[in-house]
């Protein structure tokens, strides 16, 4: 008999949420699969987050944050949500807003791909552009201004504790129910807001594991083996991931997570590894290559019996026009 898919922990529904068409709290857990690319290489446990409804791990935080905001009255039914993000979070928030009957505006730096804009607009969202030169900080300032002017709810993924909270209470629990023996020795991911890594680490600790948390820092060729992180901007080659410990990232540090270990990972090899994963049938984006490469490096440190978990955050289709497909 087929084994039933484990479901995500139930999120209580309230009479204020639509009682039809609403599926975000009914989707199955994403698979956690052992991946070994080379016959004599280590096995890494990979959480297939690209299988979330909008195609990325950001569905975790979008559903959790917006659902909670409606439940606690931070946003009224039919209310307006504004988020700054150049990528997956805006798309996930647009989908979750459509599901929850909310209106949504994404503030994005000019120059993001046409596809991203079209996806958001197809979910009924609106896109407002901030100056390209100001990057994500310009988008954050723009979101604040729009929210003030139009009385909107700002989820603020970079500082909202419900961002790591979503991974702590759900993704980590899924992993513990899926990995043999319920024990994780290391959790490894690249860092954007830091919500995934800190949330997974905290959630695993909550249930009696004591994993080491490794933050994968993409480093370009010559900078490898250098003096360590000085910069903290978003990496060009690995979208969604910062190339150093940023103040944004440290916002989610807690007492327990104070021992996060930073790992330099060559970004060109990471992109090549993402291509290899795609050829094996994992339709992933560049950050999955980064995460997998970082996990291989951790496996070398911890030895063959270590249970190492990483995440495949998003899908390859978002990167057709980039270096991943030799288009940049
Ligand atoms: N977006 C993508 C596509 C990523 O690969 C990652 C890194 N795993 C992130 C975002 C960053 O996640 P977080 O904001 O939770 O650190």
């Amino acid at each position: 008999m087929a084994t039933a898919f484990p479901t995500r922990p139930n999120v209580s529904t309230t009479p204020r949420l639509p009682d039809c068409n609403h599926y975000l709290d009914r989707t199955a857990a994403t698979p956690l699969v052992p991946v070994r690319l080379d016959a004599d290489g280590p096995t890494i446990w990979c959480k297939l987050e690209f299988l979330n409804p909008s195609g990325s791990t950001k569905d975790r935080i979008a559903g959790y944050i917006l659902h909670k905001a409606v439940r606690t009255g931070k946003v009224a039914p039919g209310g307006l949500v504004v988020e700054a993000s150049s990528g997956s979070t805006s798309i996930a928030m647009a989908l979750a807003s459509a599901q929850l009957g909310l209106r949504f505006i994404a503030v994005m730096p000019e120059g993001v791909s046409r596809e991203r804009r079209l996806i958001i607009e197809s979910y009924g969202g609106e896109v407002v552009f901030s100056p390209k030169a100001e990057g994500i900080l310009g988008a954050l300032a723009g979101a604040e201004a729009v929210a003030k002017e139009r009385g909107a709810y700002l989820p603020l993924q970079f500082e909202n504790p419900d961002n790591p909270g979503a991974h702590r209470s759900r993704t980590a629990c899924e992993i513990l129910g899926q990995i043999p023996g319920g024990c994780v020795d290391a959790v490894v991911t690249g860092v954007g807001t830091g919500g995934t890594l800190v949330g997974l680490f905290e959630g695993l600790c909550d249930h009696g594991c004591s994993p080491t948390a490794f933050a994968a820092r993409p480093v370009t060729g010559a900078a490898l083996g250098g003096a360590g992180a000085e910069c903290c901007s978003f990496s060009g080659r690995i979208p969604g991931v910062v190339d150093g410990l940023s103040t944004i990232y440290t916002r989610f540090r807690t007492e327990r997570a104070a021992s996060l270990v930073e790992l330099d990972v060559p970004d060109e090899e990471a992109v090549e590894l993402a291509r290899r994963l795609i050829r094996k049938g994992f339709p992933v984006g560049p950050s999955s290559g980064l995460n997998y490469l970082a996990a291989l490096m951790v496996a070398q440190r911890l030895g063959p019996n270590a249970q190492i978990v990483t995440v495949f955050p998003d899908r390859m289709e978002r990167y057709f026009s980039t270096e991943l497909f030799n288009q940049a």
Side-chain angles (χ1 to χ4, degrees), residues 58 88 163 167 189-196 239-241 287 291 313-314 319:
K58 292 295 184 180
S88 311
N163 168 356
H167 293 288
T189 75
V191 164
T193 63
T196 307
V241 177
S287 65
N291 288 353
D314 72 351
Y319 304 96

Side-chain angles (χ1 to χ4, degrees), residues 230-285:
E230 279 170 21
C231 47
C232 54
S233 57
F234 276 87
S235 156
R237 195 163 258 159
I238 316 287
V241 177
V242 290
D243 57 10
L245 288 178
S246 68
T247 48
I248 285 171
Y249 158 50
T250 53
R251 275 186 207 158
F252 290 138
R253 288 190 141 192
T254 68
E255 283 296 297
R256 215 160 40 175
S259 60
L260 296 185
V261 179
E262 208 178 341
L263 202 64
D264 281 359
V265 181
D267 60 359
E268 224 171 325
E269 267 182 59
V271 174
E272 189 46 48
L273 199 46
R275 294 188 189 114
R276 266 189 87 191
L277 287 165
I278 292 170
R279 285 196 295 272
K280 288 281 180 191
F282 295 96
V284 295

Side-chain angles (χ1 to χ4, degrees), residues 167-236:
H167 293 288
R168 181 176 188 165
S169 63
R170 299 209 192 148
T171 326
C173 294
E174 287 178 20
I175 290 169
L176 286 168
Q178 292 168 319
I179 198 157
C183 171
V184 174
D185 297 303
V187 57
V188 191
T189 75
V191 164
T193 63
T196 307
L197 185 62
V198 172
L200 287 183
F201 176 74
E202 292 284 340
L204 294 171
C205 290
D206 288 343
H207 292 90
C209 287
S210 40
T212 307
F214 291 88
R217 181 175 96 102
V219 179
T220 300
L224 251 187
E230 279 170 21
C231 47
C232 54
S233 57
F234 276 87
S235 156

Side-chain angles (χ1 to χ4, degrees), residues 8 14 34 36 56 66 68 99 111 113 128-129 171 189 199 206-207 209 215 252 271 278 290 293 302 304 324:
R8 288 188 178 169
T14 75
R36 189 174 61 194
S56 91
L66 293 188
K68 191 165 165 186
Q99 274 279 294
S113 74
V128 169
F129 289 107
T171 326
T189 75
D206 288 343
H207 292 90
C209 287
F252 290 138
V271 174
I278 292 170
L290 177 88
L293 184 53
L302 301 188
L324 183 62

Side-chain angles (χ1 to χ4, degrees), residues 80-100:
L80 180 64
V81 177
V82 178
E83 182 64 307
S85 143
S86 56
S88 311
T89 305
S90 288
I91 292 172
M93 289 271 177
L95 183 147
S97 297
Q99 274 279 294
L100 296 172

